[in-house]
Amino acid sequence: MAGRFEEWTKRNVILTVLTFSAVLISSIITLFGFVGDAIGWYESRFEWKDAEYEKLTSLHAGYSFAAFREKLGAPLFVQPVVDKKGLTENIFKGRGYWVDVVTDKTGTALSYAVTSCSRDFQPKFSFMIGSFDAKSSGRLDLTLNRDSMSERVVRDFGALKVYVSGATANSYAFQVIPTSNPSNYKAYGWGMNDTCDWRSNPATKTGETYNSWLDWQDAHPASKRYLQMDNLSTSLRGLMAKSIVNTYMETAPHIEESDVYPWQIGVDRIFTRTVGD
């Protein structure tokens, strides 16, 4: 009976076609599954940055804090802002980057700062600034971990905010731009936050850029934390030319940088170092 059934199935064209079709469909499904897995692996390994860049550039200071939670999830750290009653700092951990958002009691994001610690994570931010010099006014494009401080300097507007502790306190070097009508009364800042290594262009050994800023500060003990951009020394401009920006910051309208960041701009290294690598 088994032999006769086998002979019958071989002579039955319809059954043969159905069997072949089933095998073919199964193979196609398996192939598509493999291709889908391969595409997912490629995107997660190589194209995830584009999705992160889009996420970061879609957020802005002045939005509700709920908008940030929707995009970034729950903050890893929440703490009151020192010397700023009623303000709360919220720190989010991304894939090779940190986000810092200062909120008020109403749940409004008064500031938004992104710090990139990965050399090849280079989000680009574009924003409007005002200046006393018409040539310096207009749209400014800034790419983290690529542009130097001098490449995006606005010479006649704002100030350089610098402090290098040489010990365990936060260190920073930022250009800060005050609110103005062309910027929709938003303040901006960009520079180096010591949550990440300070890097130079061209690249130098780890710590060399930081030590150069520390040497400059030791040689200028009378320098204030805020230096006017139209009165910078040649040595300081040289430092800015080789210092790569790792942090971008913006405020909500009518909020100055000093209103939300009395010291370090952006994420606080004292907290992030507890996470580890």
Side-chain angles (χ1 to χ4, degrees):
M1 291 179 65
R4 289 197 297 270
F5 179 76
E6 182 180 0
E7 290 297 325
W8 177 79
T9 56
K10 289 180 179 180
R11 295 193 301 269
N12 193 307
V13 177
I14 296 176
L15 184 60
T16 302
V17 171
L18 290 175
T19 302
F20 175 78
S21 299
V23 173
L24 179 62
I25 292 172
S26 177
S27 300
I28 291 175
I29 292 174
T30 302
L31 179 62
F32 272 101
F34 173 78
V35 171
D37 291 342
I39 292 174
W41 174 86
Y42 179 84
E43 290 178 345
S44 66
R45 187 175 180 88
F46 298 103
E47 295 187 354
W48 62 271
K49 296 176 189 174
D50 292 337
E52 295 299 306
Y53 294 161
E54 183 178 358
K55 180 194 301 181
L56 294 176
T57 56
S58 70
L59 294 168
H60 292 284
Y63 287 4
S64 71
F65 185 59
F68 284 86
R69 288 183 64 100
E70 181 180 354
K71 294 280 188 177
L72 304 174
L76 195 60
F77 299 102
V78 178
Q79 62 173 341
V81 178
V82 178
D83 299 333
K84 297 294 180 179
K85 187 176 180 180
L87 300 187
T88 302
E89 182 177 20
N90 304 271
I91 300 174
F92 300 85
K93 187 179 189 301
R95 190 170 175 178
Y97 67 89
W98 294 91
V99 169
D100 190 87
V101 179
V102 175
T103 56
D104 63 11
K105 293 180 179 179
T106 69
T108 299
L110 301 184
S111 72
Y112 170 46
V114 178
T115 298
S116 174
C117 292
S118 177
R119 288 179 182 269
D120 59 356
F121 188 77
Q122 302 178 336
K124 179 180 178 181
F125 299 93
S126 182
F127 50 97
M128 294 293 296
I129 59 172
S131 173
F132 299 124
D133 180 3
K135 295 181 180 179
S136 299
S137 297
R139 184 163 296 280
L140 190 149
D141 294 327
L142 176 76
T143 302
L144 302 187
N145 282 324
R146 191 193 70 180
D147 296 337
S148 71
M149 292 184 69
S150 65
E151 286 180 288
R152 296 296 179 266
V153 70
V154 182
R155 299 187 184 282
D156 67 331
F157 200 54
L160 190 67
K161 180 180 181 179
V162 180
Y163 177 72
V164 188
S165 71
T168 59
N170 290 321
S171 298
Y172 46 82
F174 282 89
Q175 181 172 1
V176 292
I177 303 294
T179 62
S180 65
N181 181 61
S183 68
N184 296 317
Y185 296 100
K186 301 180 73 170
Y188 292 95
W190 56 92
M192 297 184 297
N193 174 311
D194 69 343
T195 295
C196 314
D197 292 335
W198 289 12
R199 297 165 182 153
S200 67
N201 187 14
T204 59
K205 296 179 180 179
T206 300
E208 187 171 326
T209 304
Y210 177 92
N211 291 334
S212 295
W213 279 92
L214 181 61
D215 291 342
W216 173 85
Q217 183 175 267
D218 290 343
H220 301 80
S223 295
K224 300 178 180 179
R225 287 180 186 267
Y226 286 90
L227 306 173
Q228 295 305 308
M229 294 303 299
D230 58 355
N231 191 30
L232 303 182
S233 66
T234 301
S235 61
L236 189 51
R237 292 186 185 279
L239 270 178
M240 294 174 65
K242 71 177 185 179
S243 299
I244 300 300
V245 173
N246 66 24
T247 299
Y248 161 81
M249 184 278 306
E250 65 178 55
T251 71
H254 305 293
I255 301 294
E256 297 291 353
E257 161 268 332
S258 58
D259 294 335
V260 286
Y261 291 121
W263 306 105
Q264 175 73 285
I265 291 178
V267 65
D268 188 336
R269 174 178 55 81
I270 305 303
F271 281 84
T272 61
R273 69 179 184 177
T274 65
V275 178
D277 296 333

